[in-house]
PDB file of all heavy atoms in Angstrom:
ATOM      1  N   ALA A  66       3.840  13.726  -6.271  1.00 78.00           N
ATOM      2  CA  ALA A  66       3.240  13.975  -5.012  1.00 78.00           C
ATOM      3  C   ALA A  66       4.207  13.487  -3.863  1.00 78.00           C
ATOM      4  O   ALA A  66       4.642  12.430  -3.705  1.00 78.00           O
ATOM      5  CB  ALA A  66       2.010  13.059  -4.960  1.00 78.00           C
ATOM      6  N   GLN A  67       4.736  14.464  -3.148  1.00 60.00           N
ATOM      7  CA  GLN A  67       5.802  14.190  -2.114  1.00 60.00           C
ATOM      8  C   GLN A  67       5.453  14.578  -0.674  1.00 60.00           C
ATOM      9  O   GLN A  67       6.282  14.315   0.229  1.00 60.00           O
ATOM     10  CB  GLN A  67       7.094  15.065  -2.494  1.00 60.00           C
ATOM     11  CG  GLN A  67       7.607  14.789  -3.901  1.00 60.00           C
ATOM     12  CD  GLN A  67       8.734  15.605  -4.172  1.00 60.00           C
ATOM     13  OE1 GLN A  67       9.638  15.792  -3.275  1.00 60.00           O
ATOM     14  NE2 GLN A  67       8.908  16.134  -5.299  1.00 60.00           N
ATOM     15  N   GLY A  68       4.179  15.129  -0.386  1.00 63.00           N
ATOM     16  CA  GLY A  68       3.813  15.537   0.862  1.00 63.00           C
ATOM     17  C   GLY A  68       3.984  14.433   1.926  1.00 63.00           C
ATOM     18  O   GLY A  68       4.154  14.765   3.073  1.00 63.00           O
ATOM     19  N   PHE A  69       3.768  13.198   1.576  1.00 69.00           N
ATOM     20  CA  PHE A  69       3.869  12.042   2.432  1.00 69.00           C
ATOM     21  C   PHE A  69       5.121  12.076   3.219  1.00 69.00           C
ATOM     22  O   PHE A  69       5.063  11.610   4.462  1.00 69.00           O
ATOM     23  CB  PHE A  69       3.596  10.726   1.531  1.00 69.00           C
ATOM     24  CG  PHE A  69       3.327   9.580   2.410  1.00 69.00           C
ATOM     25  CD1 PHE A  69       2.177   9.447   3.189  1.00 69.00           C
ATOM     26  CD2 PHE A  69       4.220   8.507   2.406  1.00 69.00           C
ATOM     27  CE1 PHE A  69       1.869   8.336   3.981  1.00 69.00           C
ATOM     28  CE2 PHE A  69       3.926   7.331   3.182  1.00 69.00           C
ATOM     29  CZ  PHE A  69       2.835   7.289   3.968  1.00 69.00           C
ATOM     30  N   PHE A  70       6.238  12.416   2.553  1.00 70.00           N
ATOM     31  CA  PHE A  70       7.481  12.211   3.325  1.00 70.00           C
ATOM     32  C   PHE A  70       7.850  13.610   4.036  1.00 70.00           C
ATOM     33  O   PHE A  70       8.910  13.694   4.677  1.00 70.00           O
ATOM     34  CB  PHE A  70       8.528  12.180   2.116  1.00 70.00           C
ATOM     35  CG  PHE A  70       8.368  10.917   1.384  1.00 70.00           C
ATOM     36  CD1 PHE A  70       7.865  10.814   0.253  1.00 70.00           C
ATOM     37  CD2 PHE A  70       8.914   9.647   1.965  1.00 70.00           C
ATOM     38  CE1 PHE A  70       7.695   9.609  -0.467  1.00 70.00           C
ATOM     39  CE2 PHE A  70       8.697   8.452   1.387  1.00 70.00           C
ATOM     40  CZ  PHE A  70       8.119   8.482   0.209  1.00 70.00           C
ATOM     41  N   GLN A  71       7.058  14.560   4.081  1.00 78.00           N
ATOM     42  CA  GLN A  71       7.312  15.844   4.894  1.00 78.00           C
ATOM     43  C   GLN A  71       6.969  15.705   6.394  1.00 78.00           C
ATOM     44  O   GLN A  71       7.242  16.550   7.121  1.00 78.00           O
ATOM     45  CB  GLN A  71       6.559  17.060   4.235  1.00 78.00           C
ATOM     46  CG  GLN A  71       7.003  17.307   2.817  1.00 78.00           C
ATOM     47  CD  GLN A  71       6.287  18.458   2.152  1.00 78.00           C
ATOM     48  OE1 GLN A  71       5.189  18.886   2.760  1.00 78.00           O
ATOM     49  NE2 GLN A  71       6.785  18.975   1.155  1.00 78.00           N
ATOM     50  N   GLN A  72       6.423  14.531   6.690  1.00 90.00           N
ATOM     51  CA  GLN A  72       5.948  14.316   8.088  1.00 90.00           C
ATOM     52  C   GLN A  72       7.247  13.873   8.979  1.00 90.00           C
ATOM     53  O   GLN A  72       8.073  13.164   8.378  1.00 90.00           O
ATOM     54  CB  GLN A  72       4.920  13.243   8.192  1.00 90.00           C
ATOM     55  CG  GLN A  72       3.646  13.554   7.385  1.00 90.00           C
ATOM     56  CD  GLN A  72       2.809  12.304   7.347  1.00 90.00           C
ATOM     57  OE1 GLN A  72       2.163  11.914   8.341  1.00 90.00           O
ATOM     58  NE2 GLN A  72       2.710  11.726   6.161  1.00 90.00           N
ATOM     59  N   PRO A  73       7.405  14.345  10.205  1.00 93.00           N
ATOM     60  CA  PRO A  73       8.377  13.860  11.007  1.00 93.00           C
ATOM     61  C   PRO A  73       8.266  12.411  11.356  1.00 93.00           C
ATOM     62  O   PRO A  73       7.139  11.941  11.305  1.00 93.00           O
ATOM     63  CB  PRO A  73       8.244  14.843  12.247  1.00 93.00           C
ATOM     64  CG  PRO A  73       7.020  15.301  12.360  1.00 93.00           C
ATOM     65  CD  PRO A  73       6.524  15.294  10.852  1.00 93.00           C
ATOM     66  N   PHE A  74       9.265  11.817  11.844  1.00 95.00           N
ATOM     67  CA  PHE A  74       9.271  10.372  12.205  1.00 95.00           C
ATOM     68  C   PHE A  74       8.154   9.922  13.086  1.00 95.00           C
ATOM     69  O   PHE A  74       7.452   8.978  12.837  1.00 95.00           O
ATOM     70  CB  PHE A  74      10.663   9.986  12.791  1.00 95.00           C
ATOM     71  CG  PHE A  74      10.597   8.570  13.462  1.00 95.00           C
ATOM     72  CD1 PHE A  74      10.599   7.490  12.556  1.00 95.00           C
ATOM     73  CD2 PHE A  74      10.640   8.447  14.763  1.00 95.00           C
ATOM     74  CE1 PHE A  74      10.486   6.180  13.165  1.00 95.00           C
ATOM     75  CE2 PHE A  74      10.565   7.158  15.305  1.00 95.00           C
ATOM     76  CZ  PHE A  74      10.571   6.013  14.492  1.00 95.00           C
ATOM     77  N   VAL A  75       7.942  10.695  14.243  1.00 96.00           N
ATOM     78  CA  VAL A  75       6.880  10.200  15.170  1.00 96.00           C
ATOM     79  C   VAL A  75       5.616  10.199  14.585  1.00 96.00           C
ATOM     80  O   VAL A  75       4.859   9.206  14.709  1.00 96.00           O
ATOM     81  CB  VAL A  75       6.991  11.223  16.402  1.00 96.00           C
ATOM     82  CG1 VAL A  75       5.681  10.817  17.385  1.00 96.00           C
ATOM     83  CG2 VAL A  75       8.226  10.888  17.191  1.00 96.00           C
ATOM     84  N   GLU A  76       5.173  11.324  13.895  1.00 95.00           N
ATOM     85  CA  GLU A  76       3.920  11.373  13.172  1.00 95.00           C
ATOM     86  C   GLU A  76       3.798  10.263  12.099  1.00 95.00           C
ATOM     87  O   GLU A  76       2.822   9.626  11.966  1.00 95.00           O
ATOM     88  CB  GLU A  76       3.649  12.752  12.532  1.00 95.00           C
ATOM     89  CG  GLU A  76       2.365  12.849  11.814  1.00 95.00           C
ATOM     90  CD  GLU A  76       2.144  14.161  11.203  1.00 95.00           C
ATOM     91  OE1 GLU A  76       3.029  15.042  11.527  1.00 95.00           O
ATOM     92  OE2 GLU A  76       1.279  14.476  10.495  1.00 95.00           O
ATOM     93  N   PHE A  77       4.889  10.194  11.219  1.00 95.00           N
ATOM     94  CA  PHE A  77       4.960   9.158  10.118  1.00 95.00           C
ATOM     95  C   PHE A  77       4.834   7.786  10.602  1.00 95.00           C
ATOM     96  O   PHE A  77       4.004   6.938  10.117  1.00 95.00           O
ATOM     97  CB  PHE A  77       6.224   9.476   9.341  1.00 95.00           C
ATOM     98  CG  PHE A  77       6.301   8.624   8.048  1.00 95.00           C
ATOM     99  CD1 PHE A  77       5.904   9.154   6.962  1.00 95.00           C
ATOM    100  CD2 PHE A  77       6.942   7.405   8.096  1.00 95.00           C
ATOM    101  CE1 PHE A  77       6.017   8.452   5.687  1.00 95.00           C
ATOM    102  CE2 PHE A  77       7.118   6.673   6.948  1.00 95.00           C
ATOM    103  CZ  PHE A  77       6.716   7.150   5.779  1.00 95.00           C
TER     104      PHE A  77
END
Side-chain angles (χ1 to χ4, degrees):
Q67 301 181 39
F69 191 63
F70 294 100
Q71 293 177 350
Q72 303 168 73
F74 168 71
V75 170
E76 180 182 351
F77 186 90

